[in-house]
Amino acid sequence: MHIFLDTANFDELRSAAKLGVVSGVTTNPSLMAKENNADLKSVITEIASIIDGPISAEVISLDAAGMIKEARDIAKWSPNVVVKIPITPAGLEATSVLSKEHIKCNLTLCFSPNQALLVALAGAAYVSPFVGRLDDITHDGMQLVTDVVTIYKQYDFSTQVIAASIRHPLHCLSAAKAGAHIATVPYKVLMQMIKHPLTDIGIERFMADWNSISKT
Ligand code: E4P
């Protein structure tokens, strides 16, 4: 399973990029608002200079013609850019057109396996099932990821599954076990994935033991 970073924050991206484990980025209008930056083009261009991999930029049009126009423009910003489109009738219509033009689409706000089936049929490169937001309303978000992976395997669809709305490291583990191609994670969760108290204790002991012999 690949790891994408779910952020529009350059400091987080630069810090995570150094680890060599992040192979893409997802953004959305809320993440842009968090950075108080409405210049999507400059943000995506900057991200592309930090991370060499797919970078999702979300359209804000709600009609198919508007989405297509925005997407064609976004697609010119960087060779790695992926256009993020919500799953609506207009979103599917736009995706069908854009996929034929080889513009990669990431269909977002996926909350049901039927939505994911339609996303694959429309030719999208990615689908983003939102795990945390389903958990928030007492639905099993990870079951959605499992169902989508099963359906895509069954019919050999090439659409890749991005486990999104990831809230904690257990979500990452479960997404990997479910066979998601990618999990897009907040920076905080990436750091939590690295951390283990026994690693910290082990380093402390090794250092203490080394110091005890090197000072004699
Ligand atoms: C990623 O593509 C999504 O936009 C993101 O993971 C949503 O996460 P949230 O539910 O924590 O806002």
Side-chain angles (χ1 to χ4, degrees):
M1 185 177 77
H2 291 284
I3 299 286
F4 286 5
L5 214 60
D6 197 25
T7 187
N9 181 288
F10 302 142
D11 291 337
E12 290 182 351
L13 283 159
R14 283 194 195 98
S15 163
K18 286 186 203 156
L19 305 177
V21 297
V22 173
S23 52
V25 180
T26 51
T27 65
N28 65 36
S30 302
L31 293 170
M32 292 291 294
K34 208 170 155 194
E35 302 309 316
N36 198 22
N37 193 342
D39 187 350
L40 186 59
K41 184 176 179 177
S42 79
V43 169
I44 297 299
T45 311
E46 180 69 22
I47 294 175
S49 74
I50 302 170
I51 300 276
D52 185 22
I55 301 157
S56 290
E58 191 154 341
V59 296
I60 46 162
S61 297
L62 297 177
D63 62 303
M67 288 173 175
I68 292 167
K69 189 167 175 284
E70 264 189 78
R72 285 177 179 151
D73 184 37
I74 290 172
K76 290 181 198 138
W77 296 348
S78 154
N80 291 342
V81 84
V82 174
V83 182
K84 213 167 173 198
I85 296 177
I87 304 174
T88 59
L92 287 174
E93 183 184 334
T95 302
S96 305
V97 171
L98 295 164
S99 301
K100 288 186 188 85
E101 296 174 13
H102 306 291
I103 292 176
K104 287 189 173 169
C105 300
N106 170 6
L107 276 274
T108 189
L109 293 167
C110 176
F111 294 101
S112 81
N114 275 340
Q115 287 181 321
L117 173 63
L118 298 173
V119 165
L121 293 172
Y126 304 96
V127 67
S128 291
F130 274 40
V131 177
R133 292 193 198 186
L134 278 170
D135 287 355
D136 288 344
I137 57 161
T138 334
H139 281 254
D140 184 352
M142 203 50 69
Q143 187 56 48
L144 172 60
V145 174
T146 303
D147 288 346
V148 177
V149 168
T150 303
I151 292 166
Y152 283 10
K153 267 197 190 140
Q154 178 127 320
Y155 296 104
D156 211 15
F157 287 129
S158 60
T159 306
Q160 295 203 12
V161 179
I162 305 179
S165 188
I166 294 287
R167 301 278 166 79
H168 47 70
L170 188 55
H171 273 158
C172 294
L173 173 62
S174 304
K177 283 165 130 180
H181 300 88
I182 299 145
T184 187
V185 307
Y187 180 77
K188 184 184 158 205
V189 174
L190 178 65
M191 291 301 122
Q192 288 173 325
M193 288 169 75
I194 300 169
K195 194 98 181 134
H196 198 289
L198 290 179
T199 305
D200 296 341
I201 291 167
I203 291 170
E204 232 174 80
R205 269 190 212 152
F206 283 150
M207 289 303 108
D209 288 344
W210 180 254
N211 287 336
S212 73
I213 49 170
S214 65
K215 278 175 192 153
T216 54

